[in-house]
Short mmCIF file of all heavy atoms in Angstrom, two decimals:
data_model
loop_
_atom_site.label_atom_id
_atom_site.label_comp_id
_atom_site.label_asym_id
_atom_site.label_seq_id
_atom_site.Cartn_x
_atom_site.Cartn_y
_atom_site.Cartn_z
N PHE A 307 -17.99 259.82 88.18
CA PHE A 307 -17.50 260.85 89.25
C PHE A 307 -18.25 260.61 90.52
O PHE A 307 -19.52 260.76 90.49
CB PHE A 307 -17.61 262.28 88.62
CG PHE A 307 -16.92 263.16 89.44
CD1 PHE A 307 -15.59 263.52 89.22
CD2 PHE A 307 -17.65 263.92 90.48
CE1 PHE A 307 -14.91 264.52 90.03
CE2 PHE A 307 -16.85 264.90 91.27
CZ PHE A 307 -15.64 265.14 91.04
N SER A 308 -17.53 260.24 91.59
CA SER A 308 -18.22 259.95 92.85
C SER A 308 -18.41 261.19 93.67
O SER A 308 -17.63 262.19 93.50
CB SER A 308 -17.49 258.79 93.60
OG SER A 308 -16.35 259.40 94.25
N SER A 309 -19.19 261.13 94.54
CA SER A 309 -19.45 262.21 95.61
C SER A 309 -18.17 262.58 96.40
O SER A 309 -17.90 263.67 96.61
CB SER A 309 -20.41 261.80 96.63
OG SER A 309 -21.63 261.24 96.20
N GLU A 310 -17.31 261.42 96.44
CA GLU A 310 -15.99 261.75 97.15
C GLU A 310 -14.93 262.19 96.27
O GLU A 310 -13.89 262.60 96.77
CB GLU A 310 -15.59 260.25 97.82
CG GLU A 310 -16.45 259.89 98.94
CD GLU A 310 -17.73 259.29 98.52
OE1 GLU A 310 -17.97 258.80 97.33
OE2 GLU A 310 -18.77 259.45 99.32
N ASN A 311 -14.99 262.04 94.97
CA ASN A 311 -14.05 262.57 93.97
C ASN A 311 -13.75 263.99 94.08
O ASN A 311 -12.83 264.57 93.55
CB ASN A 311 -14.35 262.05 92.61
CG ASN A 311 -14.13 260.61 92.34
OD1 ASN A 311 -14.74 259.97 91.55
ND2 ASN A 311 -13.27 259.87 93.09
N TRP A 312 -14.72 264.78 94.69
CA TRP A 312 -14.46 266.29 94.78
C TRP A 312 -13.26 266.44 95.60
O TRP A 312 -12.74 267.58 95.67
CB TRP A 312 -15.66 266.84 95.52
CG TRP A 312 -16.93 267.04 94.74
CD1 TRP A 312 -18.10 266.24 94.96
CD2 TRP A 312 -17.18 267.86 93.52
NE1 TRP A 312 -19.03 266.61 94.00
CE2 TRP A 312 -18.56 267.65 93.16
CE3 TRP A 312 -16.45 268.81 92.95
CZ2 TRP A 312 -19.15 268.33 92.03
CZ3 TRP A 312 -16.97 269.47 91.87
CH2 TRP A 312 -18.33 269.20 91.48
N ASN A 313 -12.87 265.50 96.51
CA ASN A 313 -11.69 265.69 97.34
C ASN A 313 -10.37 265.45 96.68
O ASN A 313 -9.34 265.56 97.26
CB ASN A 313 -11.84 264.57 98.56
CG ASN A 313 -13.02 264.82 99.39
OD1 ASN A 313 -13.47 266.07 99.64
ND2 ASN A 313 -13.64 263.78 99.77
N ARG A 314 -10.37 265.32 95.40
CA ARG A 314 -9.17 265.11 94.70
C ARG A 314 -8.55 266.52 94.36
O ARG A 314 -9.26 267.42 94.63
CB ARG A 314 -9.40 264.47 93.17
CG ARG A 314 -9.79 263.01 93.44
CD ARG A 314 -9.75 262.27 92.26
NE ARG A 314 -10.07 260.81 92.48
CZ ARG A 314 -9.73 259.86 91.74
NH1 ARG A 314 -9.31 260.12 90.41
NH2 ARG A 314 -10.11 258.61 92.05
N PRO A 315 -7.26 266.59 93.91
CA PRO A 315 -6.67 267.90 93.64
C PRO A 315 -7.49 268.71 92.72
O PRO A 315 -8.24 268.18 91.80
CB PRO A 315 -5.29 267.60 93.03
CG PRO A 315 -5.02 266.23 93.43
CD PRO A 315 -6.35 265.51 93.75
N ALA A 316 -7.55 270.05 92.91
CA ALA A 316 -8.52 270.96 92.21
C ALA A 316 -8.30 270.84 90.66
O ALA A 316 -9.30 270.85 89.95
CB ALA A 316 -8.33 272.41 92.76
N ASP A 317 -7.11 270.79 90.26
CA ASP A 317 -6.85 270.66 88.84
C ASP A 317 -7.45 269.43 88.24
O ASP A 317 -7.83 269.41 87.09
CB ASP A 317 -5.32 270.94 88.44
CG ASP A 317 -4.53 269.73 89.03
OD1 ASP A 317 -4.83 269.19 90.04
OD2 ASP A 317 -3.42 269.49 88.31
N GLU A 318 -7.42 268.34 88.92
CA GLU A 318 -7.98 267.05 88.40
C GLU A 318 -9.46 267.20 88.40
O GLU A 318 -10.18 266.85 87.45
CB GLU A 318 -7.54 265.90 89.29
CG GLU A 318 -8.14 264.61 88.61
CD GLU A 318 -7.61 263.29 89.23
OE1 GLU A 318 -6.64 263.36 90.03
OE2 GLU A 318 -8.16 262.24 89.06
N VAL A 319 -10.12 267.66 89.37
CA VAL A 319 -11.47 267.98 89.31
C VAL A 319 -11.91 268.90 88.27
O VAL A 319 -12.88 268.50 87.49
CB VAL A 319 -11.99 268.56 90.76
CG1 VAL A 319 -13.49 268.88 90.68
CG2 VAL A 319 -11.72 267.56 91.95
N SER A 320 -11.28 270.00 87.99
CA SER A 320 -11.72 270.86 86.98
C SER A 320 -11.42 270.10 85.67
O SER A 320 -12.17 270.42 84.67
CB SER A 320 -11.06 272.27 87.11
OG SER A 320 -9.62 272.14 86.91
N GLY A 321 -10.30 269.39 85.62
CA GLY A 321 -10.14 268.63 84.31
C GLY A 321 -11.25 267.80 84.00
O GLY A 321 -11.62 267.60 82.80
N LEU A 322 -11.82 267.15 85.07
CA LEU A 322 -12.82 266.15 84.83
C LEU A 322 -14.10 266.88 84.38
O LEU A 322 -14.93 266.37 83.51
CB LEU A 322 -13.08 265.29 86.07
CG LEU A 322 -12.10 264.17 86.28
CD1 LEU A 322 -12.06 263.69 87.70
CD2 LEU A 322 -12.32 262.99 85.33
N MET A 323 -14.44 268.02 84.89
CA MET A 323 -15.55 268.72 84.58
C MET A 323 -15.40 269.24 83.09
O MET A 323 -16.41 269.19 82.30
CB MET A 323 -15.75 270.02 85.52
CG MET A 323 -16.02 269.68 86.96
SD MET A 323 -17.54 268.79 87.16
CE MET A 323 -17.14 267.87 88.65
N ASP A 324 -14.22 269.69 82.72
CA ASP A 324 -13.98 270.13 81.34
C ASP A 324 -14.22 268.90 80.35
O ASP A 324 -14.76 269.09 79.23
CB ASP A 324 -12.62 270.75 81.17
CG ASP A 324 -12.48 272.03 81.89
OD1 ASP A 324 -13.47 272.61 82.35
OD2 ASP A 324 -11.32 272.52 82.03
N LEU A 325 -13.70 267.86 80.79
CA LEU A 325 -13.73 266.65 80.00
C LEU A 325 -15.28 266.15 79.71
O LEU A 325 -15.60 265.75 78.65
CB LEU A 325 -12.95 265.49 80.63
CG LEU A 325 -12.82 264.23 79.83
CD1 LEU A 325 -12.03 264.49 78.45
CD2 LEU A 325 -12.03 263.13 80.67
N LEU A 326 -15.98 266.31 80.84
CA LEU A 326 -17.55 266.01 80.66
C LEU A 326 -18.15 266.89 79.71
O LEU A 326 -18.75 266.40 78.72
CB LEU A 326 -18.07 266.15 82.04
CG LEU A 326 -19.64 265.89 82.04
CD1 LEU A 326 -20.05 264.48 81.70
CD2 LEU A 326 -20.32 266.28 83.37
N ALA A 327 -17.88 268.22 79.76
CA ALA A 327 -18.37 269.16 78.88
C ALA A 327 -18.03 268.85 77.36
O ALA A 327 -18.86 268.91 76.51
CB ALA A 327 -18.03 270.53 79.23
N MET A 328 -16.64 268.57 77.27
CA MET A 328 -16.20 268.23 75.91
C MET A 328 -16.80 266.90 75.40
O MET A 328 -17.20 266.86 74.23
CB MET A 328 -14.68 268.08 76.05
CG MET A 328 -13.81 268.38 74.75
SD MET A 328 -12.15 268.41 75.12
CE MET A 328 -11.72 266.60 75.34
N ALA A 329 -16.84 265.93 76.28
CA ALA A 329 -17.39 264.54 75.70
C ALA A 329 -18.79 264.80 75.38
O ALA A 329 -19.28 264.11 74.39
CB ALA A 329 -17.23 263.54 76.78
N LEU A 330 -19.59 265.53 76.10
CA LEU A 330 -21.02 265.81 75.73
C LEU A 330 -21.15 266.25 74.34
O LEU A 330 -21.78 265.76 73.46
CB LEU A 330 -21.70 266.74 76.75
CG LEU A 330 -22.03 266.27 77.99
CD1 LEU A 330 -22.61 267.29 78.95
CD2 LEU A 330 -23.05 265.07 77.95
N GLY A 331 -20.38 267.33 74.07
CA GLY A 331 -20.44 267.90 72.67
C GLY A 331 -19.99 266.93 71.60
O GLY A 331 -20.56 266.88 70.50
#
Side-chain angles (χ1 to χ4, degrees):
F307 190 85
S308 76
S309 314
E310 290 75 27
N311 288 149
W312 290 108
N313 298 321
R314 292 196 175 190
D317 62 333
E318 183 170 348
V319 171
S320 66
L322 281 162
M323 296 299 150
D324 292 347
L325 188 59
L326 174 67
M328 204 171 74
L330 282 175

